[in-house]
Amino acid sequence: GQQLNQSPQSMFIQEGEDVSMNCTSSSIFNTWLWYKQDPGEGPVLLIALYKAGELTSNGRLTAQFGITRKDSFLNISASIPSDVGIYFCAGQLRTGNQFYFGTGTSLTVIP
Amino acid sequence: GAVVSQHPSWVICKSGTSVKIECRSLDFQATTMFWYRQFPKQSLMLMATSNEGSKATYEQGVEKDKFLINHASLTLSTLTVTSAHPEDSSFYICSAKPGQTLPGAYSPLHFGNGTRLTVT
């Protein structure tokens, strides 16, 4: 499978702070997806990106599809306690149908 | 919309038995479904791509005879873990991708809630 490196691995932040995380790969992707997973549950889609350079927002979340097509970024503004969870990026290769997941970023928000 | 239902949500079985997990797309048709496996505190690892009406495509290192996949309809894919062993204990998650009906339209992956398999 493909290797998608996600950083940082974990974050501990104060409520109200902004958060940034990214996902990089050596391969070119034509779709980037960002998910949040709570313990014992399946991932929930946050944002989908389909075009290089695309910048998309969903409430306090903003994600960007990197120009090189090898990376993507997710920002969370004004974090709140319910943002706690594990965030995953997922990419679909330019050649193929499969989606591969990043290594995940664990977010802890301190009230 | 785009709801994926996975059943059962958890199962405990004895070593050597087989377990079937169902994945259904409730409000859309999915020509392609994906099966992932997740160990504690790790990422989702793609096991196989399930294609409606044809054989599944397995990722390197995944035993196709152990993890049988059947995608008999546009809304149902099943994963059967055959002759399960304790090392097969894991969280199995399916996902489905709505079929593209419009030129240039894209669709993301939607996930079920996962199945926690424990083999004793």
Side-chain angles (χ1 to χ4, degrees), chain A residues 22-106:
Chain A
N22 67 72
C23 196
T24 60
S25 174
S26 58
S27 300
I28 294 175
F29 289 84
N30 65 2
T31 300
W32 284 99
L33 308 173
W34 283 92
Y35 290 88
K36 178 174 182 276
Q37 186 180 30
D38 292 325
E41 298 184 11
V44 174
L45 181 69
L46 300 174
I47 292 180
L49 302 160
Y50 302 111
K51 190 176 176 182
E54 179 181 353
L55 185 71
T56 298
S57 293
N58 178 9
R60 294 178 295 107
L61 278 64
T62 301
Q64 185 162 25
F65 192 140
I67 284 293
T68 65
R69 306 177 74 96
K70 295 182 179 181
D71 55 11
S72 181
F73 308 88
L74 176 69
N75 296 315
I76 305 173
S77 62
S79 59
I80 59 178
S82 61
D83 290 335
V84 166
I86 301 181
Y87 292 78
F88 289 102
C89 62
Q92 182 183 37
L93 287 170
R94 187 176 56 180
T95 55
N97 205 16
Q98 300 91 330
F99 283 83
Y100 297 97
F101 274 72
T103 46
T105 295
S106 174

Coordinates of all heavy atoms in Angstrom, one line a residue, chain A residues 22-106:
Chain A
N22 N -0.8 18.2 8.7 CA -0.6 18.0 7.2 C -0.3 16.6 6.9 O 0.0 15.7 7.8 CB 0.5 18.9 6.7 CG 1.9 18.5 7.2 OD1 2.4 17.5 6.8 ND2 2.4 19.3 8.1
C23 N -0.4 16.3 5.7 CA -0.3 14.9 5.2 C 0.6 15.0 3.9 O 0.3 15.8 3.0 CB -1.7 14.4 4.9 SG -1.8 12.6 4.7
T24 N 1.6 14.1 3.8 CA 2.5 14.2 2.7 C 2.7 12.8 2.1 O 2.6 11.8 2.9 CB 3.8 14.8 3.0 OG1 4.5 14.0 4.0 CG2 3.7 16.2 3.5
S25 N 3.0 12.7 0.8 CA 3.3 11.4 0.2 C 4.3 11.6 -0.9 O 4.5 12.7 -1.4 CB 2.0 10.8 -0.3 OG 2.2 9.6 -1.1
S26 N 4.9 10.5 -1.3 CA 5.8 10.6 -2.5 C 5.0 10.4 -3.8 O 5.6 10.6 -4.9 CB 6.9 9.6 -2.3 OG 6.3 8.3 -2.2
S27 N 3.8 10.0 -3.7 CA 2.9 9.7 -4.8 C 2.0 10.9 -5.1 O 1.7 11.7 -4.2 CB 2.2 8.5 -4.7 OG 3.0 7.4 -4.5
I28 N 1.5 10.9 -6.3 CA 0.5 11.9 -6.7 C -0.9 11.4 -6.5 O -1.2 10.3 -6.9 CB 0.7 12.3 -8.2 CG1 2.1 13.0 -8.3 CG2 -0.4 13.2 -8.7 CD1 2.5 13.4 -9.8
F29 N -1.7 12.3 -5.9 CA -3.1 11.9 -5.6 C -4.1 12.8 -6.4 O -3.8 14.0 -6.6 CB -3.4 12.0 -4.1 CG -2.7 10.9 -3.3 CD1 -1.4 11.0 -2.9 CD2 -3.3 9.7 -3.0 CE1 -0.7 10.0 -2.2 CE2 -2.7 8.7 -2.3 CZ -1.4 8.8 -1.9
N30 N -5.2 12.2 -6.7 CA -6.2 13.1 -7.4 C -7.4 13.4 -6.5 O -8.3 14.1 -6.8 CB -6.7 12.4 -8.7 CG -7.4 11.1 -8.4 OD1 -7.6 10.7 -7.3 ND2 -7.9 10.5 -9.5
T31 N -7.4 12.9 -5.3 CA -8.4 13.2 -4.3 C -7.8 13.1 -2.9 O -7.0 12.2 -2.6 CB -9.6 12.1 -4.3 OG1 -10.2 12.2 -5.6 CG2 -10.6 12.5 -3.2
W32 N -8.1 14.1 -2.1 CA -7.7 14.1 -0.7 C -8.9 14.2 0.2 O -9.8 15.0 -0.1 CB -6.8 15.2 -0.3 CG -5.3 15.1 -0.8 CD1 -4.8 15.6 -2.0 CD2 -4.3 14.3 -0.2 NE1 -3.5 15.3 -2.1 CE2 -3.1 14.5 -1.0 CE3 -4.2 13.6 1.0 CZ2 -1.9 13.9 -0.7 CZ3 -3.0 13.0 1.3 CH2 -1.9 13.1 0.5
L33 N -9.0 13.4 1.2 CA -10.1 13.4 2.1 C -9.6 13.6 3.6 O -8.5 13.0 3.9 CB -11.0 12.1 2.0 CG -11.5 11.7 0.6 CD1 -12.1 10.3 0.7 CD2 -12.4 12.8 0.1
W34 N -10.4 14.3 4.4 CA -10.0 14.4 5.8 C -11.1 13.8 6.6 O -12.3 14.1 6.4 CB -9.7 15.8 6.2 CG -8.4 16.3 5.7 CD1 -8.1 16.9 4.5 CD2 -7.1 16.1 6.4 NE1 -6.7 17.2 4.4 CE2 -6.1 16.7 5.6 CE3 -6.7 15.6 7.6 CZ2 -4.8 16.7 5.9 CZ3 -5.4 15.6 8.0 CH2 -4.4 16.2 7.1
Y35 N -10.7 13.0 7.6 CA -11.7 12.3 8.5 C -11.4 12.5 9.9 O -10.2 12.8 10.3 CB -11.7 10.8 8.2 CG -12.3 10.3 6.9 CD1 -11.5 10.3 5.8 CD2 -13.6 10.0 6.8 CE1 -12.0 9.8 4.6 CE2 -14.1 9.6 5.6 CZ -13.3 9.5 4.5 OH -13.8 9.1 3.3
K36 N -12.4 12.4 10.8 CA -12.2 12.4 12.2 C -12.8 11.1 12.8 O -13.9 10.7 12.3 CB -12.9 13.6 12.9 CG -12.8 13.6 14.4 CD -13.4 14.9 14.9 CE -13.3 15.0 16.5 NZ -14.4 14.3 17.1
Q37 N -12.0 10.4 13.6 CA -12.5 9.2 14.2 C -12.5 9.2 15.7 O -11.5 9.6 16.3 CB -11.5 8.0 13.7 CG -12.0 6.6 14.2 CD -11.1 5.5 13.7 OE1 -9.9 5.7 13.6 NE2 -11.7 4.3 13.5
D38 N -13.6 8.9 16.3 CA -13.8 8.8 17.7 C -13.5 7.3 18.1 O -13.7 6.4 17.3 CB -15.1 9.2 18.2 CG -15.3 10.7 18.0 OD1 -14.3 11.5 18.2 OD2 -16.4 11.2 17.7
P39 N -13.1 7.0 19.3 CA -12.8 5.6 19.7 C -13.9 4.7 19.5 O -15.1 4.9 19.8 CB -12.5 5.8 21.2 CG -12.1 7.2 21.4 CD -12.9 8.0 20.4
G40 N -13.6 3.5 18.8 CA -14.6 2.5 18.6 C -15.6 2.8 17.5 O -16.6 2.0 17.4
E41 N -15.4 3.8 16.8 CA -16.3 4.2 15.7 C -15.6 4.3 14.4 O -14.4 4.3 14.3 CB -17.0 5.5 16.0 CG -17.9 5.4 17.3 CD -18.6 6.7 17.5 OE1 -18.7 7.5 16.6 OE2 -19.2 6.8 18.6
G42 N -16.4 4.3 13.3 CA -15.8 4.5 12.0 C -15.5 6.0 11.7 O -16.0 6.8 12.4
P43 N -14.6 6.2 10.8 CA -14.2 7.6 10.5 C -15.4 8.4 9.9 O -16.2 7.8 9.2 CB -13.1 7.5 9.4 CG -12.7 6.1 9.5 CD -13.8 5.3 10.0
V44 N -15.5 9.7 10.3 CA -16.5 10.5 9.7 C -15.9 11.6 8.8 O -14.9 12.2 9.2 CB -17.3 11.2 10.9 CG1 -18.2 12.2 10.3 CG2 -18.0 10.2 11.7
L45 N -16.4 11.7 7.6 CA -15.8 12.6 6.6 C -16.0 14.1 7.1 O -17.1 14.5 7.5 CB -16.5 12.4 5.3 CG -16.0 13.3 4.1 CD1 -14.6 12.9 3.8 CD2 -17.0 13.2 2.9
L46 N -14.9 14.8 7.0 CA -14.9 16.2 7.3 C -14.9 17.1 6.1 O -15.7 18.0 5.9 CB -13.7 16.6 8.2 CG -13.6 15.9 9.5 CD1 -12.2 16.2 10.2 CD2 -14.7 16.2 10.4
I47 N -13.9 16.8 5.2 CA -13.8 17.7 4.0 C -13.2 16.8 2.9 O -12.4 15.9 3.1 CB -12.8 18.8 4.3 CG1 -13.4 19.8 5.3 CG2 -12.4 19.5 3.0 CD1 -12.5 21.0 5.5
A48 N -13.7 17.0 1.7 CA -13.2 16.3 0.5 C -12.6 17.3 -0.5 O -13.2 18.4 -0.7 CB -14.4 15.6 -0.2
L49 N -11.5 17.0 -1.0 CA -10.8 17.9 -2.0 C -10.5 17.1 -3.3 O -10.0 16.0 -3.2 CB -9.5 18.3 -1.4 CG -9.5 19.1 0.0 CD1 -8.2 19.0 0.7 CD2 -10.0 20.5 -0.3
Y50 N -10.8 17.7 -4.4 CA -10.7 17.0 -5.7 C -9.8 17.7 -6.7 O -9.6 17.2 -7.8 CB -12.1 16.8 -6.3 CG -13.0 16.1 -5.4 CD1 -14.1 16.7 -4.8 CD2 -12.9 14.7 -5.1 CE1 -15.0 16.0 -3.9 CE2 -13.7 14.0 -4.3 CZ -14.8 14.7 -3.7 OH -15.6 14.0 -2.9
K51 N -9.3 18.9 -6.4 CA -8.6 19.6 -7.4 C -7.3 20.3 -6.7 O -7.4 20.9 -5.7 CB -9.5 20.7 -7.9 CG -9.0 21.5 -9.1 CD -10.1 22.4 -9.6 CE -9.6 23.3 -10.8 NZ -10.6 24.2 -11.2
A52 N -6.2 20.2 -7.4 CA -5.0 20.8 -6.9 C -5.2 22.2 -6.6 O -5.7 23.0 -7.5 CB -3.8 20.5 -7.9
G53 N -4.7 22.7 -5.5 CA -4.9 24.1 -5.1 C -6.2 24.4 -4.4 O -6.3 25.5 -3.9
E54 N -7.1 23.5 -4.4 CA -8.4 23.7 -3.9 C -8.4 24.0 -2.4 O -7.6 23.3 -1.7 CB -9.3 22.5 -4.2 CG -10.7 22.6 -3.6 CD -11.6 21.4 -3.9 OE1 -11.1 20.5 -4.6 OE2 -12.7 21.3 -3.4
L55 N -9.1 25.0 -2.0 CA -9.2 25.3 -0.5 C -10.7 25.3 -0.2 O -11.5 26.0 -0.8 CB -8.7 26.8 -0.3 CG -8.6 27.3 1.1 CD1 -7.5 26.5 1.9 CD2 -8.4 28.8 1.2
T56 N -11.0 24.4 0.8 CA -12.4 24.2 1.1 C -12.6 24.3 2.6 O -11.8 23.8 3.4 CB -12.8 22.8 0.6 OG1 -12.7 22.7 -0.8 CG2 -14.3 22.5 1.0
S57 N -13.7 24.9 3.0 CA -14.0 25.1 4.4 C -15.3 24.3 4.8 O -16.2 24.2 4.0 CB -14.2 26.6 4.8 OG -12.9 27.2 4.6
N58 N -15.3 23.9 6.1 CA -16.5 23.3 6.7 C -16.6 23.8 8.1 O -16.0 23.2 9.0 CB -16.4 21.8 6.6 CG -17.5 21.1 7.3 OD1 -18.5 21.7 7.6 ND2 -17.4 19.8 7.4
G59 N -17.3 24.9 8.3 CA -17.3 25.5 9.6 C -16.0 26.0 10.0 O -15.4 26.8 9.3
R60 N -15.5 25.6 11.1 CA -14.2 26.0 11.6 C -13.0 25.2 11.0 O -11.8 25.5 11.3 CB -14.1 25.8 13.1 CG -15.1 26.7 13.9 CD -15.0 26.5 15.4 NE -15.4 25.1 15.7 CZ -14.6 24.1 16.1 NH1 -13.3 24.4 16.2 NH2 -15.1 23.0 16.4
L61 N -13.3 24.3 10.1 CA -12.3 23.5 9.5 C -12.0 24.0 8.0 O -12.9 24.4 7.3 CB -12.7 22.1 9.4 CG -12.5 21.2 10.6 CD1 -13.4 21.6 11.8 CD2 -12.9 19.7 10.2
T62 N -10.7 24.1 7.7 CA -10.3 24.4 6.4 C -9.3 23.5 5.9 O -8.3 23.2 6.7 CB -9.8 25.9 6.3 OG1 -10.7 26.8 6.8 CG2 -9.4 26.3 4.9
A63 N -9.4 23.0 4.7 CA -8.4 22.0 4.2 C -8.0 22.5 2.8 O -8.7 23.1 2.0 CB -9.0 20.6 4.1
Q64 N -6.8 22.2 2.4 CA -6.2 22.5 1.1 C -5.6 21.3 0.4 O -4.9 20.5 1.1 CB -5.2 23.7 1.2 CG -4.7 24.2 -0.1 CD -4.1 25.5 -0.1 OE1 -3.6 25.9 0.9 NE2 -4.1 26.2 -1.2
F65 N -5.8 21.3 -0.8 CA -5.2 20.3 -1.7 C -3.9 20.9 -2.2 O -3.9 21.9 -2.9 CB -6.1 20.0 -2.9 CG -5.8 18.8 -3.7 CD1 -6.9 18.0 -4.1 CD2 -4.6 18.5 -4.1 CE1 -6.6 16.8 -4.9 CE2 -4.3 17.4 -4.9 CZ -5.3 16.6 -5.3
G66 N -2.7 20.3 -1.9 CA -1.5 20.9 -2.3 C -1.3 21.0 -3.8 O -1.7 20.1 -4.5
I67 N -0.6 22.0 -4.2 CA -0.3 22.3 -5.6 C 0.4 21.1 -6.3 O 0.2 20.8 -7.4 CB 0.4 23.6 -5.8 CG1 -0.5 24.8 -5.6 CG2 1.1 23.7 -7.2 CD1 -1.6 24.9 -6.7
T68 N 1.3 20.5 -5.5 CA 2.1 19.4 -6.1 C 1.3 18.1 -6.2 O 1.8 17.1 -6.8 CB 3.4 19.1 -5.2 OG1 2.9 18.6 -3.9 CG2 4.2 20.4 -5.0
R69 N 0.1 18.1 -5.6 CA -0.8 16.9 -5.5 C -0.2 15.8 -4.6 O -0.7 14.7 -4.6 CB -1.0 16.4 -6.9 CG -1.5 17.4 -7.9 CD -1.7 16.8 -9.3 NE -2.8 15.9 -9.4 CZ -4.0 16.3 -9.8 NH1 -4.2 17.5 -10.2 NH2 -5.0 15.4 -9.8
K70 N 0.8 16.1 -3.9 CA 1.4 15.1 -3.0 C 1.2 15.5 -1.5 O 1.7 14.8 -0.7 CB 2.9 15.1 -3.3 CG 3.3 14.6 -4.6 CD 4.8 14.5 -4.8 CE 5.2 14.0 -6.2 NZ 6.7 13.8 -6.3
D71 N 0.4 16.5 -1.3 CA 0.2 16.9 0.1 C -1.1 17.6 0.3 O -1.7 18.0 -0.6 CB 1.3 17.7 0.7 CG 1.6 18.9 -0.1 OD1 0.8 19.3 -1.0 OD2 2.6 19.6 0.1
S72 N -1.5 17.6 1.6 CA -2.8 18.3 1.9 C -2.7 18.8 3.4 O -1.9 18.2 4.1 CB -4.0 17.3 1.8 OG -5.2 18.0 2.1
F73 N -3.4 19.8 3.7 CA -3.4 20.4 5.0 C -4.8 20.6 5.6 O -5.7 20.8 4.8 CB -2.7 21.8 4.9 CG -1.4 21.8 4.1 CD1 -1.4 22.0 2.7 CD2 -0.2 21.7 4.8 CE1 -0.2 21.9 2.1 CE2 1.0 21.6 4.1 CZ 1.0 21.8 2.7
L74 N -4.8 20.5 6.9 CA -6.1 20.7 7.6 C -5.9 21.7 8.7 O -4.9 21.5 9.5 CB -6.7 19.4 8.1 CG -8.0 19.6 9.0 CD1 -9.1 20.0 8.1 CD2 -8.3 18.3 9.7
N75 N -6.7 22.7 8.8 CA -6.6 23.7 9.9 C -7.9 23.7 10.6 O -9.0 23.6 10.0 CB -6.3 25.1 9.3 CG -5.0 25.2 8.7 OD1 -4.0 24.7 9.2 ND2 -4.9 25.8 7.5
I76 N -7.9 23.8 11.9 CA -9.0 23.9 12.8 C -8.9 25.2 13.5 O -7.9 25.4 14.2 CB -9.2 22.7 13.8 CG1 -9.2 21.4 13.0 CG2 -10.5 22.9 14.6 CD1 -9.2 20.2 13.9
S77 N -9.8 26.1 13.4 CA -9.7 27.4 14.1 C -10.5 27.3 15.4 O -11.5 26.6 15.5 CB -10.2 28.5 13.2 OG -11.5 28.4 12.9
A78 N -10.1 28.1 16.4 CA -10.8 28.3 17.7 C -11.2 26.9 18.2 O -12.5 26.7 18.3 CB -11.9 29.2 17.5
S79 N -10.3 26.0 18.5 CA -10.7 24.7 18.9 C -11.6 24.6 20.2 O -11.5 25.5 21.0 CB -9.4 23.9 19.2 OG -8.6 24.5 20.2
I80 N -12.4 23.6 20.2 CA -13.3 23.4 21.3 C -13.1 22.0 21.8 O -12.6 21.1 21.1 CB -14.8 23.7 20.9 CG1 -15.2 22.7 19.8 CG2 -15.0 25.1 20.6 CD1 -16.6 22.9 19.3
P81 N -13.6 21.6 23.0 CA -13.3 20.3 23.6 C -13.8 19.2 22.7 O -13.2 18.1 22.6 CB -14.1 20.3 24.9 CG -14.0 21.8 25.3 CD -14.1 22.5 24.0
S82 N -14.9 19.4 21.9 CA -15.4 18.3 21.1 C -14.6 18.0 19.9 O -14.9 17.1 19.1 CB -16.9 18.6 20.7 OG -17.0 19.8 20.0
D83 N -13.6 18.8 19.6 CA -12.7 18.6 18.5 C -11.7 17.4 18.9 O -11.0 16.9 18.0 CB -11.8 19.8 18.2 CG -12.7 20.9 17.6 OD1 -13.7 20.6 17.0 OD2 -12.3 22.1 17.7
V84 N -11.7 17.0 20.1 CA -10.8 15.9 20.5 C -11.1 14.6 19.7 O -12.2 14.3 19.4 CB -11.0 15.6 22.0 CG1 -10.4 14.2 22.4 CG2 -10.5 16.7 22.9
G85 N -10.0 14.0 19.2 CA -10.2 12.8 18.4 C -9.0 12.5 17.6 O -7.9 13.2 17.8
I86 N -9.1 11.6 16.7 CA -8.0 11.3 15.8 C -8.4 11.7 14.4 O -9.4 11.3 13.9 CB -7.6 9.8 15.9 CG1 -7.2 9.4 17.3 CG2 -6.4 9.6 14.9 CD1 -6.7 8.0 17.4
Y87 N -7.5 12.5 13.8 CA -7.8 13.0 12.5 C -6.9 12.2 11.4 O -5.7 12.1 11.6 CB -7.5 14.5 12.4 CG -8.4 15.3 13.2 CD1 -8.3 15.4 14.6 CD2 -9.5 16.0 12.6 CE1 -9.2 16.1 15.3 CE2 -10.4 16.7 13.3 CZ -10.3 16.8 14.7 OH -11.2 17.5 15.5
F88 N -7.5 11.8 10.4 CA -6.8 11.1 9.3 C -7.0 11.8 8.0 O -8.1 12.2 7.7 CB -7.4 9.6 9.2 CG -7.1 8.7 10.3 CD1 -8.0 8.4 11.3 CD2 -5.8 8.1 10.4 CE1 -7.7 7.5 12.3 CE2 -5.5 7.3 11.4 CZ -6.4 7.0 12.4
C89 N -5.9 11.8 7.2 CA -6.1 12.1 5.8 C -6.2 10.8 5.1 O -5.8 9.8 5.5 CB -4.9 12.9 5.4 SG -3.3 12.0 5.4
A90 N -6.8 10.9 3.9 CA -6.9 9.7 3.0 C -6.7 10.3 1.6 O -7.3 11.3 1.2 CB -8.2 9.0 3.2
G91 N -6.0 9.5 0.8 CA -5.8 9.9 -0.6 C -6.1 8.8 -1.6 O -5.9 7.7 -1.3
Q92 N -6.6 9.3 -2.7 CA -6.8 8.3 -3.8 C -5.8 8.6 -4.9 O -5.7 9.7 -5.4 CB -8.2 8.5 -4.4 CG -8.6 7.5 -5.5 CD -9.9 7.8 -6.1 OE1 -10.4 8.9 -6.2 NE2 -10.6 6.7 -6.4
L93 N -5.1 7.6 -5.3 CA -4.0 7.7 -6.3 C -4.6 8.2 -7.6 O -5.8 7.9 -7.9 CB -3.3 6.4 -6.5 CG -2.3 6.0 -5.3 CD1 -1.8 4.6 -5.6 CD2 -1.1 7.0 -5.3
R94 N -3.8 8.9 -8.3 CA -4.2 9.3 -9.7 C -4.5 8.1 -10.5 O -5.3 8.1 -11.4 CB -3.1 10.2 -10.3 CG -3.4 10.8 -11.6 CD -2.3 11.7 -12.1 NE -1.1 11.0 -12.2 CZ 0.1 11.5 -12.7 NH1 0.1 12.8 -13.0 NH2 1.2 10.9 -12.7
T95 N -3.7 7.0 -10.3 CA -3.9 5.8 -11.0 C -4.5 4.8 -10.0 O -3.8 4.3 -9.2 CB -2.6 5.2 -11.5 OG1 -1.7 5.1 -10.4 CG2 -2.0 6.2 -12.5
G96 N -5.8 4.5 -10.2 CA -6.3 3.5 -9.3 C -7.6 4.0 -8.5 O -7.9 5.2 -8.6
N97 N -8.2 3.1 -7.8 CA -9.5 3.4 -7.2 C -9.4 3.4 -5.7 O -10.3 3.9 -5.0 CB -10.4 2.3 -7.6 CG -11.9 2.7 -7.6 OD1 -12.2 3.9 -7.5 ND2 -12.8 1.7 -7.6
Q98 N -8.2 2.9 -5.2 CA -8.1 2.7 -3.7 C -7.8 4.0 -3.0 O -7.3 5.0 -3.6 CB -7.0 1.7 -3.4 CG -7.2 0.4 -4.0 CD -6.5 0.2 -5.4 OE1 -6.4 1.2 -6.1 NE2 -6.1 -1.0 -5.7
F99 N -8.3 4.0 -1.7 CA -8.0 5.2 -0.8 C -7.0 4.7 0.3 O -7.3 3.6 0.9 CB -9.2 5.7 -0.2 CG -10.1 6.6 -1.1 CD1 -11.0 6.0 -2.0 CD2 -10.0 7.9 -1.1 CE1 -11.7 6.8 -2.9 CE2 -10.7 8.7 -1.9 CZ -11.6 8.1 -2.8
Y100 N -6.0 5.4 0.5 CA -5.0 5.0 1.5 C -5.0 6.1 2.6 O -5.2 7.3 2.3 CB -3.6 4.9 0.9 CG -3.5 3.7 -0.1 CD1 -3.6 4.0 -1.5 CD2 -3.4 2.4 0.3 CE1 -3.6 3.0 -2.4 CE2 -3.3 1.4 -0.6 CZ -3.4 1.7 -2.0 OH -3.4 0.6 -2.9
F101 N -4.8 5.6 3.8 CA -4.9 6.5 5.0 C -3.6 7.0 5.5 O -2.6 6.2 5.4 CB -5.7 5.8 6.1 CG -7.2 6.0 5.9 CD1 -7.9 5.4 4.9 CD2 -7.9 6.9 6.8 CE1 -9.2 5.6 4.8 CE2 -9.2 7.1 6.6 CZ -9.9 6.4 5.6
G102 N -3.5 8.2 6.0 CA -2.4 8.7 6.7 C -2.2 8.0 8.1 O -3.1 7.3 8.5
T103 N -1.2 8.4 8.8 CA -0.8 7.8 10.0 C -1.6 8.3 11.2 O -1.6 7.8 12.3 CB 0.7 7.9 10.3 OG1 1.1 9.3 10.1 CG2 1.5 7.0 9.4
G104 N -2.3 9.4 11.0 CA -3.2 10.0 12.0 C -2.6 11.0 12.9 O -1.4 11.0 13.2
T105 N -3.4 12.0 13.3 CA -3.0 13.0 14.3 C -4.0 13.0 15.4 O -5.2 13.2 15.2 CB -3.0 14.4 13.7 OG1 -2.0 14.5 12.6 CG2 -2.7 15.5 14.7
S106 N -3.5 12.7 16.6 CA -4.3 12.7 17.8 C -4.4 14.1 18.4 O -3.4 14.6 18.8 CB -3.7 11.7 18.8 OG -4.5 11.7 20.0

